[in-house]
Amino acid sequence: MDSKLLNLHFAQLSSAWNYSKDNIYSDAKKSKYHNNLKILYSKIRDEDFSKYDENKLATVKSVCDFFFKSLEFLNSSTLNHIPFEIVKCLELALSDWENDKDDFIIVTSLVNNIHNFSFDPSLAFNDGFYNLIERLYSIEFSSRLIQINLPAYLDKDYLANVVLYHELGHFVDIKLSVSKAIYEDILNRLSENQLTSEEIDSLRVYFPYITNPVILTQYRSGIPIHVFSQHIAEYFCDLFAAQYVNSCSNHYLNYLTEGDPKFSQSHPSTINRVKMVESFLDSDESFTLSLFRDAVSKCTSGKELTNRSEKFESENFQNLIPVDIINNGQLHYLFSYGWNLWLGNWEEFQSKNNMGFQLNRTQVYHLINNLIEKSIGNYIIVSNWQKHS
């Protein structure tokens, strides 16, 4: 590697850092992470790359890559940019699955692709980055970033952003190794002929390829079956989200995929994903669903896949006022409440408020989203006040 190219990389980093160095965040943990980057930048700036051998140049390059990736998400998580209300809901959901020693920060990257909801695991689980930085520069990052991408155009769209619970599920899944446990359990039982015909039939509903002889041949040969592991992970994340937002994600998923009956290498068919969630919400138990429940319990020392939202009845939104939320369960249910209104009769807004005109779809869209945002904001303010009083 030519040191001049690393100089170019660092010059680019300097330009990016000049844009980001004065970022202001809404919480102390992000500020502390940012301050560590500030210290790291000053130490790299003072290095003379021309004196480094090939290995050291590659090492510093990877540190610069870490720096850029951190900025990619921190820049969209400042006080002025962060979709604060939805992130707060995700933080409360995450707290159901954290241990006392855990220290993670949910950050967002606002991207231009209207369909790009995704989880990026590169900073949450890459021990190599943090060990390398601590060894070379004596800088310890006590918190790690949970990186979630969402479309910039939808940062205040609380109807669409229910899918972010699914993306948070990917973090929880990797951290707890839930889908990995299910993957190994199913293939071990298949390999040892420990499944009944009824159990195999249950699996075949969601994994139609499961009895293909190639699957077991690959497994016995030690070849990872990526399509199978990917599908298990997607089902888990759908179930994880359904605990908090019920069937809301199904509405949006069905629309985006046009109810696709076919599976891909990365995702099960939409029909089967909806079926899995509906079975969970209706307590319609099956062998396949029981595997997910058992794996969650074993991987978390007793936690359950369960409905974590609390339904409430209210006509506040129809009367154009926020809902008074009293606990986290109701906060998560707020998204279902909003979706029910969107899918329901919009004329209630007009009749209850003696409007002399008919609301159009854009007005209803902004009305529901603004009321969800205000309801979440009010709950956060009251919760913080009660915590400190």
Side-chain angles (χ1 to χ4, degrees):
M1 180 186 295
D2 191 330
S3 64
K4 289 293 184 67
L5 295 177
L6 183 55
N7 280 322
L8 174 62
H9 197 181
F10 181 73
Q12 295 165 343
L13 179 60
S14 296
S15 180
W17 179 242
N18 190 54
Y19 170 83
S20 306
K21 65 182 181 180
D22 296 321
N23 282 355
I24 299 175
Y25 305 97
S26 60
D27 63 85
K29 290 204 296 186
K30 291 193 194 78
S31 298
K32 183 177 180 181
Y33 191 103
H34 181 94
N35 192 57
N36 275 349
L37 291 181
K38 180 180 179 180
I39 298 169
L40 179 60
Y41 174 81
S42 66
K43 293 194 175 187
I44 301 175
R45 181 191 57 202
D46 294 338
E47 295 182 281
D48 183 355
F49 302 150
S50 65
K51 297 179 179 179
Y52 291 169
D53 60 21
E54 191 80 11
N55 289 335
K56 187 64 180 291
L57 290 172
T59 297
V60 178
K61 176 187 180 298
S62 69
V63 173
C64 290
D65 289 339
F66 164 85
F67 206 121
F68 268 113
K69 179 59 72 172
S70 295
L71 290 183
E72 176 186 335
F73 286 83
L74 286 174
N75 285 343
S76 295
S77 298
T78 62
L79 197 58
N80 293 329
H81 291 95
I82 185 173
F84 179 76
E85 285 76 13
I86 185 65
V87 169
K88 185 62 178 180
C89 294
L90 297 178
E91 288 174 350
L92 291 173
L94 178 62
S95 68
D96 293 334
W97 303 87
E98 285 184 309
N99 297 316
D100 292 339
K101 65 179 181 179
D102 291 337
D103 199 348
F104 292 96
I105 307 170
I106 296 177
V107 289
T108 55
S109 179
L110 304 179
V111 297
N112 289 327
N113 186 335
I114 191 65
H115 299 314
N116 190 1
F117 294 92
S118 60
F119 166 65
D120 183 341
S122 58
L123 295 183
F125 298 108
N126 193 331
D127 293 338
F129 277 142
Y130 300 98
N131 294 337
L132 181 64
I133 291 170
E134 187 171 0
R135 177 169 58 83
L136 291 181
Y137 303 105
S138 300
I139 299 172
E140 181 182 357
F141 284 82
S142 57
S143 301
R144 297 193 183 188
L145 303 183
I146 300 174
Q147 307 151 252
I148 296 179
N149 295 298
L150 71 151
Y153 316 107
L154 303 181
D155 65 326
K156 297 295 185 181
D157 187 325
Y158 296 92
L159 300 176
N161 281 336
V162 291
V163 302
L164 296 183
Y165 282 88
H166 172 100
E167 302 309 330
L168 180 63
H170 280 296
F171 166 80
V172 172
D173 181 33
I174 296 173
K175 179 175 178 290
L176 300 177
S177 300
V178 176
S179 61
K180 180 182 178 183
I182 298 169
Y183 170 88
E184 293 176 349
D185 184 26
I186 293 174
L187 290 179
N188 280 334
R189 294 201 208 187
L190 274 175
S191 184
E192 300 296 328
N193 295 316
Q194 293 177 347
L195 294 174
T196 67
S197 58
E198 290 81 5
E199 290 170 340
I200 291 175
D201 287 342
S202 177
L203 287 170
R204 196 184 288 119
V205 170
Y206 298 101
F207 310 101
Y209 46 79
I210 194 66
T211 52
N212 185 330
V214 175
I215 292 286
L216 282 183
T217 301
Q218 290 178 324
Y219 178 64
R220 289 174 178 140
S221 302
I223 301 173
I225 308 166
H226 293 299
V227 62
F228 186 39
S229 60
Q230 287 280 90
H231 288 186
I232 294 172
E234 292 300 326
Y235 282 129
F236 169 76
C237 294
D238 288 338
L239 293 171
F240 178 88
Q243 296 179 105
Y244 299 97
V245 295
N246 299 295
S247 60
C248 292
S249 293
N250 286 354
H251 304 314
Y252 204 57
L253 174 65
N254 249 329
Y255 174 75
L256 291 179
T257 65
E258 300 180 7
D260 193 353
K262 299 178 181 177
F263 66 83
S264 68
Q265 290 293 306
S266 60
H267 289 76
S269 71
T270 300
I271 289 177
N272 280 344
R273 292 176 67 182
V274 170
K275 183 195 294 285
M276 177 73 84
V277 167
E278 288 179 345
S279 296
F280 167 71
L281 294 174
D282 294 339
S283 298
D284 183 13
E285 295 302 317
S286 66
F287 171 71
T288 304
L289 185 54
S290 72
L291 292 176
F292 283 85
R293 291 190 184 279
D294 292 344
V296 168
S297 179
K298 290 174 182 175
C299 292
T300 62
S301 300
K303 284 184 169 59
E304 295 182 8
L305 274 177
T306 187
N307 187 354
R308 296 175 185 272
S309 69
E310 181 181 313
K311 185 176 181 179
F312 58 80
E313 301 291 340
S314 175
E315 294 186 349
N316 280 27
F317 278 18
Q318 294 94 319
N319 291 312
L320 309 183
I321 56 178
V323 173
D324 293 324
I325 303 299
I326 62 173
N327 57 44
N328 293 351
Q330 289 189 359
L331 182 71
H332 299 306
Y333 182 76
L334 187 62
F335 297 97
S336 297
Y337 176 71
W339 262 106
N340 290 338
L341 285 176
W342 179 257
L343 297 174
N345 182 5
W346 297 349
E347 291 182 359
E348 287 190 40
F349 291 109
Q350 293 138 224
S351 62
K352 287 183 178 296
N353 295 281
N354 299 316
M355 293 180 180
F357 59 92
Q358 185 173 1
L359 292 172
N360 62 40
R361 57 199 170 198
T362 304
Q363 290 170 321
V364 175
Y365 169 81
H366 288 298
L367 187 64
I368 292 176
N369 276 303
N370 287 339
L371 287 169
I372 292 175
E373 181 175 72
K374 285 182 173 62
S375 299
I376 298 172
N378 289 347
Y379 177 67
I380 294 170
I381 291 170
V382 172
S383 298
N384 287 340
W385 180 81
Q386 290 175 342
K387 187 183 300 182
H388 295 295
S389 64

